[in-house]
Amino acid sequence: MTELICIVCPKGCHLKVDEENGFSVTGNSCPHGAEYGRKELTNPTRVITSTVCVEGGTLRRASVKTSSDIPKGKIFEAMRLLDNVTIPAPVAIGDVVVKDILGLGVDFIATKNVPKL
Ligand code: SF4
């Protein structure tokens, strides 16, 4: 039995996941917690947030995030892809900044509008 705190919403339910019983979850107040608990023990994933440089914009950096969650084991490799990325202004929320990260079918997308200077 593994105990976890659900991070899907601020309520922070205390979950218990029973690995010997099909990863059944108790302590969740909603189905999202059951899904989170199962996934956290079988294939943990996270949405990543970061920033990239912007050229010619009213701000020098724009925030980005992955369009979906990616395996936890790929986080650092994915972050390294952003090290040398500079995008031209204007930047609009939802713009694809890096397509198909590590072949995972997930993009880094902008989460901030940055107008041209
Ligand atoms: S189980 Fe549901 S209500 Fe509880 S923290 Fe997770 S998402 Fe929120």
Side-chain angles (χ1 to χ4, degrees):
M1 188 77 76
T2 300
E3 297 190 11
L4 299 170
I5 293 179
C6 181
I7 60 169
V8 177
C9 89
K11 190 171 177 184
C13 293
H14 290 246
L15 309 177
K16 288 186 178 168
V17 185
D18 187 350
E19 302 91 331
E20 289 164 14
N21 192 15
F23 296 94
S24 66
V25 178
T26 53
N28 52 306
S29 298
C30 78
H32 299 298
E35 188 187 335
Y36 169 76
R38 243 187 324 274
K39 206 168 162 191
E40 191 62 6
L41 266 70
T42 55
N43 177 30
T45 60
R46 291 289 184 274
V47 170
I48 307 176
T49 59
S50 187
T51 62
V52 294
C53 290
V54 177
E55 198 173 71
T58 56
L59 297 170
R60 295 175 65 178
R61 299 192 73 85
S63 53
V64 299
K65 73 175 190 75
T66 50
S67 57
S68 175
D69 47 351
I70 67 168
K72 269 175 99 173
K74 298 281 186 188
I75 288 175
F76 291 109
E77 209 179 333
M79 291 291 277
R80 274 199 297 274
L81 294 175
L82 297 176
D83 283 351
N84 300 312
V85 171
T86 298
I87 54 175
V91 180
I93 292 171
D95 283 356
V96 174
V97 174
V98 177
K99 194 161 179 52
D100 193 20
I101 304 162
L102 307 171
L104 296 170
V106 175
D107 304 326
F108 273 115
I109 57 171
T111 56
K112 177 96 184 156
N113 292 320
V114 183
K116 265 188 176 179
L117 261 180

